[in-house]
Amino acid sequence: MESYQIPKIPVSNFSLKHTFESAQPLTFYADYNEISNTITYPYDSMVINMMHSGNQEKGELHVVSRHGNVAVDEVKRRFRLHDNMERIYKRIGTDEHVKNAINSYRGMRLTVNDPWETTLVFIISQFNNVKRIRLITRNIVKRYGTEITDSAGREVAKSFPQSRDLLKGTEKDFRELGAGFRAKYIKEAAEYCTYNINLTKLPGNKYNKLKESLMTIRGVGEKVADCIALMGYGNLEAFPIDVHIKRSMEKLYFKGKKKPIKQIQKLAEEKWGDYRGYAQQYLFHNARMTK
DNA sequence: ACCCAGGCGGGCG
DNA sequence: CGCCCGCATGGG
């Protein structure tokens, strides 16, 4: 029996529950246990197991893995622990609506996800609901992911498949995993992202350029590109406008009147500036949970 | 039965 | 350009 020291990371303003429930790519294939406040997920050829102790204001992250500092760094990066949440809350909590959302879901973090994972997940997300997005994503991971084994060689999980791993799948295959009409987008995106574009080389900090490049992928429009920019590249200037955000913001900021996407984008930029991605996630989650 | 879901591409005016 | 339509599938 090997024994490991379990690294602990002190954290403030952190909620695994709110983060996990906020429909980000990681949360579509990770396993979360609300009782033990633990999350388990594949990362490359590793399985990361992380527990949050303490409360939303102050606590610790316990990183249980065979991979020591590599896993610790992954957790820090993944949950954006470098973000100064007090400063961000101050910057975006400039009106009652965002302030209320922060009070309700304090500690919810944006996550940083692999760009290809994010692309695939949000192609699946279009005209779909969270439950089915999770189902389809997990089906694809199960079918096309690579085995991750423990020190005894037993399979403990499947890694998230890269675009190359999906090349052997046909449109029909993806359809059978539940993807519906998105199956052809998945097939095309897998080919395009393997042969025609290198997602790891895109300029993550140049919002307009990044979005323009992402939208050359078929099945990726404005909204999905913003989701990839925000959760795949950590670009907080991205402000994805989906049905929930649109309805909610029309109600809260435009007296219930229908407004074009452009106008909502403009308001977001004016109100929350370079941190608008965080405002979006809080408004989105609040809208979804209170509907 | 009907409506909706983290939208998109294509066709039309 | 903007508008409008169809689209797979499963849950409420």
Side-chain angles (χ1 to χ4, degrees):
Chain A
M1 189 70 173
E2 305 170 64
S3 72
Y4 312 104
Q5 213 169 20
I6 298 174
K8 296 175 190 166
I9 311 168
V11 283
S12 54
N13 290 311
F14 189 91
S15 166
L16 202 49
K17 174 181 163 66
H18 296 324
T19 302
F20 184 81
E21 291 177 350
S22 70
Q24 303 185 49
L26 173 69
T27 74
F28 292 134
Y29 60 92
D31 291 315
Y32 171 63
N33 186 320
E34 189 170 348
I35 307 298
S36 59
N37 208 15
T38 301
I39 191 169
T40 305
Y41 63 94
Y43 169 69
D44 279 351
S45 58
M46 304 175 231
V47 173
I48 309 284
N49 207 296
M50 186 268 273
M51 182 184 74
H52 180 214
S53 66
N55 56 43
Q56 289 172 19
E57 283 74 40
K58 205 168 175 57
E60 286 177 327
L61 303 186
H62 307 243
V63 182
V64 185
S65 102
R66 295 192 285 134
H67 304 91
N69 281 334
V70 179
V72 171
D73 289 345
E74 147 62 18
V75 166
K76 288 179 178 172
R77 185 192 63 90
R78 169 77 64 168
F79 293 97
R80 300 186 62 103
L81 298 189
H82 58 281
D83 281 340
N84 182 336
M85 296 310 292
E86 288 302 338
R87 207 180 70 166
I88 291 171
Y89 288 155
K90 191 180 244 181
R91 176 64 190 88
I92 65 175
T94 50
D95 65 82
E96 289 313 300
H97 309 307
V98 175
K99 216 176 279 182
N100 288 340
I102 291 170
N103 286 335
S104 300
Y105 307 106
R106 180 170 292 274
M108 179 176 65
R109 298 295 183 121
L110 280 166
T111 57
V112 176
N113 303 270
D114 174 82
W116 159 251
E117 290 181 22
T118 311
T119 301
L120 178 63
V121 161
F122 281 106
I123 284 174
I124 293 169
S125 81
Q126 64 173 81
F127 197 43
N128 211 342
N129 59 61
V130 168
K131 194 164 185 177
R132 285 196 70 240
I133 298 165
R134 181 169 285 123
L135 175 71
I136 297 163
T137 302
R138 294 181 81 109
N139 284 345
I140 290 176
V141 171
K142 189 174 175 188
R143 171 72 180 76
Y144 295 99
T146 306
E147 288 185 3
I148 301 174
T149 52
D150 64 12
S151 53
R154 290 175 297 243
E155 176 177 324
V156 287
K158 286 277 181 74
S159 65
F160 197 102
Q162 284 301 302
S163 62
R164 185 172 295 280
D165 299 323
L166 299 194
L167 293 178
K168 58 177 175 281
T170 63
E171 182 182 334
K172 183 162 172 286
D173 291 333
F174 298 126
R175 208 170 267 269
E176 282 168 1
L177 296 180
F181 66 90
R182 309 160 196 86
K184 60 177 177 296
Y185 296 146
I186 295 174
K187 178 65 186 162
E188 284 186 43
E191 289 172 349
Y192 187 75
C193 293
T194 301
Y195 299 120
N196 304 109
I197 190 173
N198 186 346
L199 294 179
T200 65
K201 292 278 170 60
L202 298 186
N205 56 353
K206 292 178 185 165
Y207 173 62
N208 291 309
K209 188 108 175 64
L210 174 64
K211 192 166 165 183
E212 186 190 340
S213 301
L214 291 171
M215 287 176 69
T216 64
I217 306 169
R218 294 211 2 117
V220 176
E222 280 256 357
K223 188 268 172 185
V224 168
D226 273 326
C227 285
I228 303 169
L230 182 61
M231 296 172 224
Y233 293 85
N235 192 313
L236 304 184
E237 294 174 57
F239 192 89
I241 298 177
D242 74 313
V243 286
H244 300 289
I245 279 286
K246 185 163 189 296
R247 267 206 292 271
S248 171
M249 286 186 65
E250 283 167 347
K251 180 181 171 190
L252 299 176
Y253 298 102
F254 295 98
K255 301 175 181 172
K257 290 188 170 177
K258 294 273 192 187
K259 293 290 173 187
I261 303 287
K262 287 293 172 203
Q263 208 165 325
I264 300 175
Q265 288 267 12
K266 184 161 171 282
L267 179 81
E269 186 172 352
E270 286 165 2
K271 287 184 77 70
W272 305 301
D274 291 350
Y275 287 111
R276 56 193 183 274
Y278 257 110
Q280 187 275 352
Q281 193 61 21
Y282 276 85
L283 288 172
F284 166 78
H285 192 50
N286 189 56
R288 239 172 54 83
M289 300 301 275
T290 58
K291 110 177 122 62

